[in-house]
Amino acid sequence: MAFDLSSEVQKSIKKQAIDEELTPSDMIRKILALDVKSKKTRQRLSFNLSDEEIIQLAQRFNVDPDDKRAVKQQVADLLIQHTKPTS
């Protein structure tokens, strides 16, 4: 089932799901007091990069553009730093 709910309601449910390490679907099942059969999930962030963007990031991080794993690690490090409070 799909629901047309306000963005505030959707955001709230998604945040609750993240806090409880559930998918939004499982969070809705929990709210409705239905069985939640899946195990807690590790939330993943994902997005797509074009080949040109990978090259751009590799240059930015001074790594080999063919080493996508190194680019990915640099991006992960940057995202981690982004979430740390500034002093």
Side-chain angles (χ1 to χ4, degrees), residues 80-87:
I80 291 166
Q81 289 302 314
H82 176 78
T83 63
K84 291 186 176 179
T86 56
S87 301

Side-chain angles (χ1 to χ4, degrees), residues 35-73:
D35 286 343
V36 176
K37 296 176 182 160
S38 59
K39 296 178 182 176
K40 290 193 175 207
T41 61
R42 188 175 120 211
Q43 300 292 328
R44 296 179 59 185
L45 293 173
S46 63
F47 67 106
N48 296 322
L49 293 171
S50 68
D51 291 341
E52 184 178 302
E53 290 169 325
I54 291 171
I55 291 168
Q56 180 183 356
L57 289 170
Q59 290 170 345
R60 177 178 174 185
F61 299 130
N62 198 28
V63 297
D64 182 352
D66 292 327
D67 190 352
K68 292 183 181 181
R69 176 178 255 154
V71 173
K72 181 179 178 179
Q73 183 60 52

